[in-house]
Structure formats: structure tokens, C-alpha cells
Amino acid sequence: MPNSKLQAKEIRFMSRPRGGPSPENVAVVTVDLPDLQPGEVLVRNSFFSIDPYMRGRMNEGKSYILPFALGKALDGAAVGQVVQSRDAGFPPSAWVLSFCGWRDYFVAQASQLRVIDATQAPPSAYLGVLGATGLTAWVGLNDVAKIKQNETVFISAAAGAVGSVACQLAKLRGCQVVASAGSAAKVAFLKNQLQVDCAFNYRESDPLRQLEIAAPDGLHVYFDNTAGPQLEAALACMRNHGRIVMCGAISSYNAPAPGPQNLHQVIIRRLRLQGLLVADHLHRMPAFLAEMVPLLRAGKVLHQETVLHGIEKAPGAFISLLQPGDAHIGKLVIQV
Ligand SMILES: NC(=O)c1ccc[n+]([C@@H]2O[C@H](COP(=O)([O-])OP(=O)(O)OC[C@H]3O[C@@H](n4cnc5c(N)ncnc54)[C@H](OP(=O)(O)O)[C@@H]3O)[C@@H](O)[C@H]2O)c1
């Protein structure tokens, strides 16, 4: 089954950014694909995911995941369709999830792929509301914060991939949801589409003042996607024995910043702060999907995504994702 004439476009990592990433850190390259060997599958990507954690992988040094290698294609979650296959488990046209994003075609071992059910939901949903970001929100609320009905939950970066699912799940659990985001359009989305109880623009108003107004009796839970000034504001508004899910710290990914000045509130209020890495919770995927697919199909959870068209859009989209107030709402994906 020769496909040596088939070429693929990939985005390669060329240099490590200092501060914010720039277009010069990557290059779009055309490569020849190898002939298929037994057990291998040729896939055409349809969508791939753009995620904030990728900024951390651009740095050198030990972390929970290997740094991106210079001169190699970037990678990340992607969904696509099998074009040719030398593995019986992956017939042509099957939809598959892989970690081979940032390219249009690729050849992989069958073991690197997972079949997804595209009759249950649009394939791109497996990168967002039914994928790692949805699972992050679900695990963060259920397993880490252990939210209960009638609790007040504050969620930052609330109009994004993790935040928008967290807002919806917390509302479905009967919580009061206070949400923050970086633009008027996102605040309108949170109020009108996600029906949160209160939403504010953290760039145009003081988060501490907003939280004091929205939650006069204090916060039971803070789902922290940003760290920085919003974490400091939340610490000052937590109820005794409140829980903070340390999910993300996007305010410091491009420029590390000192921690909150009021960390002693953890002691005064007897708070529990717990870090969350979704990779530790992949065994929860079946339970997560068992709840989320019916919710999605019943229209009780919204599959909100921003789709940018063309692989060349990926570097700019990634650079923008790391900026406060960036334009995308829900999960950001590239349609190849
Ligand atoms: N722990 C885990 O396993 C795990 C898994 C997935 C994601 N995360 C983390 O969860 C957070 C959200 O990820 P996501 O995939 O859902 O991304 P996202 O929210 O869809 O996109 C990132 C958003 O962060 C906001 N932002 C950018 N710079 C900021 C700054 N300086 N201060 C405050 N907000 C800023 C922007 O929205 P605004 O317009 O609101 O500013 C941007 O749209 C990230 O911190 C990410 O690293 C963690």
C-alpha cells in the first residue's frame, strides 16, 4: 500500500520563546509521509486543539510532560479520519482521537489512536466538552472541590474551554456561579448562554470588589484557571474551610509573577488548595462521558467552540490564547 507520494504539512517548533511566543518560534514545513507498515494507520486530521499548557512545553526543564523538541513538529490532541490502514481495528473513514495535532496528515501506530463515536456528538466535541478540557472541569468540580448544591462557586477564565464547562456543570449541580472573563462579549455569553448568576470583566473592574458584591457570604469554591490578581481576590473572599481548585495559572505562563500577597488567608480561613492535572484522572473518562454525552444530546450542556480554518492559523491562535481578553469563546480548535 504505497503512499510515499503523499505529503503532509506540519508546524515545527524552531526556537524557545522568551516571554510571549512569536511566529518566529515555529515554521510550517511540508514532509513526505512514509509507506504504511503493518499495524500502522494513515490519518487525515480534521481538527486539532490549541491549549495553554503548550506554552509550558516550549520551555526547557523537567515538568509533568516532556518539553517540545526543537526541529520537531508540535503535538497535541486532534481528531481525524482514517484514510488507509494496516490495522483491522481502524477501518478507513473511522473517526479517531490522537495526540498528533499541528499537522494535516500523519502515519501512526494503531496504539496511538482511539476510535471516537462521531454519531454521539460532532467530532470536534472530543477535543472540548467531551475531551480533556471537559474532563478537567468535571474532575475539578466533582473529585477535587466536591461541590454541593447551593454552594457559591467562582470560576475564572470562565468563557474558555475548561471554564465554560465548569460553569455549566456547577449550575446543573444547583450552585450559585460567579464567573469572570476578559471581554464584554464573553461576559454576555456567560450571562445569556450559560445563565451564570453573576459575570464580570476582570480587566475593567476590580475582582475583589466584584466578588464582595456577587458573594457577600463568601465563596465555598474557587476554580482557579488564572492565578494572579484573581487568585488574590478569591483568597480574600473565601468562606472558612473553602476549597480552591488550582487548575491553571495562565496569567503567569508568559511572564512568571510572584504569588498572592495574602497567602496567609489559607491559614486564617483553613482553606484547602489542591492542584489538578487532568492526566492523573484519565481513568474517570468513562464515567465522565456517561454523564456528559446524554447532557449534550439533551441540550442541557452547550458544545461551545471557536473554529479557525487552516493549519496556518494555529500559531497566531496560540499566541492570542495566552493574552488576556483574547477573542475565542469556548474551546479553541483549528479546522484543518
Ligand atoms: N490542570 C489541568 O490539567 C488543566 C487542563 C486544561 C487546562 N488547564 C488550565 O486551565 C486554564 C484554562 O485553559 P483552557 O484550555 O480552558 O483555555 P481557555 O480558557 O479556553 O483560553 C485561555 C483564556 O485565558 C484567559 N487569559 C489569558 N491570559 C490571561 C491573563 N493574563 N489573566 C487572566 N486570564 C487570561 C483568556 O480569556 P479572558 O478573555 O477571560 O482573559 C484566554 O482566552 C489554563 O490555565 C490552562 O492551563 C489545566
Side-chain angles (χ1 to χ4, degrees), residues 1-5 33-37 40 86 107:
M1 208 178 300
N3 38 337
S4 53
K5 288 200 178 66
L33 288 175
D35 291 341
L36 277 196
Q37 302 302 317
E40 288 185 340
R86 296 192 69 184
V107 170

Side-chain angles (χ1 to χ4, degrees), residues 89-103:
F90 295 89
S93 84
W95 281 95
V96 291
L97 178 70
S98 77
F99 210 64
C100 301
W102 296 81
R103 65 204 84 189

Side-chain angles (χ1 to χ4, degrees), residues 150-233:
N150 295 325
E151 288 192 322
T152 302
V153 180
F154 170 43
I155 299 166
S156 55
V162 174
S164 61
V165 177
C167 286
Q168 297 183 78
L169 290 176
K171 282 302 298 172
L172 285 168
R173 298 277 192 278
C175 295
Q176 310 294 313
V177 175
V178 181
S180 70
S183 71
K186 289 181 176 180
V187 169
F189 163 75
L190 290 164
K191 287 182 179 166
N192 302 332
Q193 308 273 327
L194 302 194
Q195 313 261 300
V196 300
D197 299 279
C198 173
F200 65 89
N201 182 338
Y202 71 93
R203 298 166 69 212
E204 290 193 341
S205 50
D206 175 23
L208 176 57
R209 185 76 196 113
Q210 290 296 329
L211 291 177
E212 285 170 347
I213 295 167
D217 296 328
L219 303 167
H220 295 88
V221 170
Y222 172 37
F223 195 114
D224 185 17
N225 285 315
T226 63
Q230 297 196 79
L231 173 57
E232 197 163 291

Side-chain angles (χ1 to χ4, degrees), residues 41-49 76-84 90-101 103-106 113-118 122-124 126-127 334 336:
V41 183
L42 170 66
V43 178
R44 185 179 69 81
N45 269 337
S46 297
F47 300 92
F48 64 86
S49 178
V79 290
Q81 280 184 289
V82 173
V83 179
Q84 290 177 3
F90 295 89
S93 84
W95 281 95
V96 291
L97 178 70
S98 77
F99 210 64
C100 301
R103 65 204 84 189
D104 52 8
Y105 287 85
F106 65 91
L113 308 174
R114 194 185 98 207
V115 172
I116 56 169
D117 186 351
S124 61
Y126 290 87
L127 300 177
I334 301 295
V336 179

